[in-house]
Amino acid sequence: MHMFHSTGFHLSLSIFTFIGPGRRLIVDGLKSLFKGSPNMNTLVGLGALSSFAVSSVAAFIPKLGWKTFFEEPIMLIAFVLLGKNLEQRAKLKAASDMTGLLNILPSKARLMVDNDAEQSSFTEVPCGTLAVGDYILVLPGDRIPADGLVKAGRSTVDESSLTGEPMPVTKIAGAEVSAGSINLNGKLTVEVRRPGGETVMSDILHLVEEAQTREAPVQRLADKVAGNFTYGVMALSSATFMFWSIFGSQFVPAAIQQGSAMSLALQLSCSVLGNCLPMCSWSCHTHCSAGWYFVRCNERTSFTWWGCFGEICGS
């Protein structure tokens, strides 16, 4: 336990954090700073590096009387990486759940012979071979293999996987049906209008994938504001250092009873750099990462699909 509290162990852990899990984050922040377009990673990098530098000086020159705080850069980087990890997990879960929705589509369909709605003979074919204008037979209990138009028959269809509506919908000749819906109690003859990858279900998946590759408007706004925000935090950090190094001992003498004014000023200025970011950054990421995909998709579709949203969110 004494070793875990030693300065040498904290120093080693900080170095491991910089060259290991936090390296990419810090390098990205410094590159953005040198290009004149600082971002949130810049703020994290500056806070972590400044805390590490001051603590290293205090550790190697103990006669200065400064305090070491190697734990600050470690916890700061860990906190930000945890937020990024949660965001990435939300993206992967959304993608995997949407792919799971496609698995509810049947692999085979009953293709009517001679495309005759009155003909009762059929043959089973893979759903991928269906073409526009084909007639398919959907028996009770089957999932509809493609989007289409009912040509004959009457039945109730469970569309909850698409619309979220718990009540089955009655389908008669002339009604539209969607792939993935369950035919409950009647026989339907359906003319294929959108087979295979052209179904509504496929459109949902494609729109989610597109939304995942694009930034949300709030994210673009955050990137735009990040530069001025970073400069503002750097200025606030400098002002904190100036105040506590010059006036701190006069206004709050009790705060520096166990150390020098310079040590306290350096520690507080580093804390300003590190602590202005994580709470707002993590909050924005965790609230926006999951919901943005569904908002983007709903902008491009003309139907209600809260059923898919409910299955993905586990509600």
Side-chain angles (χ1 to χ4, degrees):
M1 292 302 296
H2 178 72
M3 181 193 69
F4 290 145
H5 288 282
S6 65
T7 301
F9 177 76
H10 291 173
L11 174 62
S12 302
L13 194 58
S14 295
I15 294 174
F16 169 76
T17 304
F18 281 121
I19 64 178
R23 179 173 59 87
R24 182 179 300 178
L25 185 148
I26 292 174
V27 170
D28 175 71
L30 294 178
K31 284 183 177 180
S32 299
L33 179 63
F34 294 146
K35 291 178 180 178
S37 56
N39 53 23
M40 291 299 180
N41 289 343
T42 303
L43 205 55
V44 175
L46 289 176
L49 290 174
S50 59
S51 300
F52 178 79
V54 173
S55 298
S56 298
V57 172
F60 289 109
I61 312 178
K63 61 183 179 180
L64 290 175
W66 296 0
K67 293 182 179 180
T68 61
F69 43 99
F70 288 111
E71 69 280 356
E72 183 169 315
I74 298 173
M75 294 304 298
L76 173 61
I77 292 176
F79 190 83
V80 174
L81 290 179
L82 176 61
K84 290 181 178 293
N85 178 263
L86 292 176
E87 179 188 11
Q88 190 63 26
R89 287 182 61 185
K91 290 181 179 180
L92 293 176
K93 188 176 187 305
S96 63
D97 287 347
M98 292 303 299
T99 303
L101 284 176
L102 282 182
N103 294 333
I104 69 176
L105 297 177
S107 59
K108 292 186 177 181
R110 296 180 177 88
L111 179 64
M112 303 289 293
V113 176
D114 298 328
N115 284 355
D116 187 357
E118 301 298 330
Q119 179 63 256
S120 59
S121 61
F122 60 87
T123 180
E124 288 193 353
V125 297
C127 290
T129 63
L130 294 176
V132 177
D134 286 344
Y135 282 74
I136 55 177
L137 180 65
V138 184
L139 299 179
D142 289 350
R143 285 190 180 271
I144 299 173
D147 295 353
L149 195 67
V150 177
K151 287 297 183 179
R154 178 188 177 92
S155 180
T156 54
V157 176
D158 180 3
E159 297 182 333
S160 59
S161 59
L162 286 173
T163 65
E165 294 294 338
M167 298 299 294
V169 180
T170 301
K171 299 292 184 180
I172 58 176
E176 293 184 354
V177 291
S178 299
S181 303
I182 303 175
N183 182 25
L184 296 179
N185 54 18
K187 184 171 68 173
L188 295 175
T189 301
V190 178
E191 180 185 358
V192 176
R193 293 293 178 87
R194 303 182 67 189
E198 301 177 4
T199 62
V200 168
M201 192 74 75
S202 298
D203 286 346
I204 295 174
L205 179 62
H206 295 155
L207 289 171
V208 170
E209 291 175 348
E210 178 187 348
Q212 284 181 319
T213 60
R214 298 181 59 182
E215 287 186 338
V218 67
Q219 210 167 356
R220 291 196 294 269
L221 178 62
D223 291 339
K224 186 182 298 185
V225 175
N228 296 330
F229 179 71
T230 302
Y231 290 132
V233 172
M234 292 168 64
L236 182 61
S237 176
S238 301
T240 302
F241 173 78
M242 296 295 294
F243 173 82
W244 283 100
S245 60
I246 299 175
F247 305 108
S249 59
Q250 301 176 19
F251 288 96
V252 194
I256 56 175
Q257 287 180 353
Q258 299 180 354
S260 66
M262 182 63 67
S263 173
L264 180 62
L266 287 170
Q267 184 172 356
L268 291 177
S269 61
C270 293
S271 297
V272 169
L273 282 175
N275 296 332
C276 281
L277 164 74
M279 191 59 68
C280 66
S281 176
W282 196 14
S283 176
C284 288
H285 277 191
T286 53
H287 280 81
C288 295
S289 59
W292 163 240
Y293 312 133
F294 306 112
V295 173
R296 275 292 309 158
C297 293
N298 206 31
E299 291 176 0
R300 295 274 303 278
T301 52
S302 58
F303 58 91
T304 305
W305 53 287
W306 292 110
C308 298
F309 183 86
E311 289 191 29
I312 292 170
C313 295
S315 60

